[in-house]
Amino acid sequence: GRLDDLQKLRKSLETLIHQVDALSGIASSFSTFAKMPLPKNELMNFKAVVTRVLDLFKNDEKVDLIFQDDSYTDTIPIMGDEKLFGRVVSNLIINGVQAVEEGKTPQIKVWLWMTEQAVFLEISDNGKGIPEELRDKIFIPNFSTKSTGSGLGLAIAKSGVETAGGKIWFETNFGKGTTFYLTFPIAT
């Protein structure tokens, strides 16, 4: 019933708040990249990470989250840092939600697909898009389009993803939205 829903919502909000706290804690403790702990590079299941992150958001009525899963498997083995990648994916979703102007429901599309060699995750929003003059700054440490936050989020994301042999990039349409792409080689 309604109470269950409320408890579910509270639980996912608490998890989210906990995550955001963890993120800002991480950001503030990284005054420089030099002090950054090296990401782990272990065999992990990328699909499990994505699913876990999506579970955090799926009870949020304020966000229209669409997950298109074309991976057709429960296990997507990659090398990397499970915690870090979980943060990267949730960060990209939160960024997408925050890119949407007031009064408009954020619609976040998450598309997971793979080839024999690689896995791809695309996260699209229906936000304002990234203005031209900011596009080449998105991954620079200490850059943030938001007034709060250290702006380390995407710089850390990029460095963690690239350490693991992956890539992260984006395409944006001003006024229409932005898509972030993540790809990792499949571990064999």
Side-chain angles (χ1 to χ4, degrees):
R2 207 175 132 66
L3 205 66
D4 287 345
D5 286 348
L6 280 172
Q7 274 165 333
K8 258 202 212 103
L9 189 64
R10 210 181 84 205
K11 202 165 162 284
S12 60
L13 278 174
E14 277 168 7
T15 321
L16 201 59
I17 288 165
H18 177 78
Q19 274 215 321
V20 171
D21 280 352
L23 278 171
S24 58
I26 289 157
S28 56
S29 63
F30 292 155
S31 48
T32 62
F33 265 145
K35 295 197 194 109
M36 209 178 134
L38 276 172
K40 292 196 189 77
N41 202 21
E42 301 171 334
L43 189 60
M44 54 169 273
N45 179 1
F46 188 63
K47 174 81 174 256
V49 170
V50 171
T51 311
R52 212 170 45 235
V53 171
L54 293 176
D55 280 347
L56 289 176
F57 292 92
K58 72 161 184 262
N59 295 324
D60 190 338
E61 259 110 69
K62 292 191 294 294
V63 178
D64 180 11
L65 185 69
I66 299 157
F67 181 39
Q68 183 179 342
D69 180 8
D70 289 329
S71 65
Y72 305 112
T73 173
D74 291 327
T75 316
I76 302 177
I78 65 169
M79 296 300 289
D81 186 324
E82 205 168 316
K83 267 209 178 78
L84 177 69
F85 292 169
R87 280 191 210 110
V88 168
V89 175
S90 61
N91 222 0
L92 290 173
I93 294 175
I94 291 168
N95 282 357
V97 171
Q98 290 176 338
V100 178
E101 44 270 72
E102 292 280 304
K104 186 171 167 187
T105 302
Q107 189 183 67
I108 308 293
K109 290 193 183 124
V110 179
W111 183 24
L112 180 68
W113 57 282
M114 56 197 289
T115 63
E116 273 169 41
Q117 285 85 31
V119 57
F120 293 84
L121 186 70
E122 303 186 12
I123 298 173
S124 310
D125 65 56
N126 57 337
K128 299 184 281 284
I130 301 164
E132 203 132 329
E133 65 275 15
L134 303 181
R135 289 176 193 175
D136 49 2
K137 295 194 180 80
I138 289 296
F139 293 111
I140 295 175
N142 297 327
F143 173 74
S144 179
T145 53
K146 299 188 280 292
S147 49
T148 55
S150 69
L152 269 181
L154 285 174
I156 289 175
K158 187 174 169 67
S159 117
V161 164
E162 289 177 351
T163 305
K167 286 193 188 70
I168 180 169
W169 73 98
F170 66 90
E171 281 172 13
T172 187
N173 266 327
F174 200 56
K176 290 215 179 85
T178 303
T179 301
F180 274 88
Y181 300 87
L182 263 180
T183 178
F184 295 100
I186 301 283
T188 42

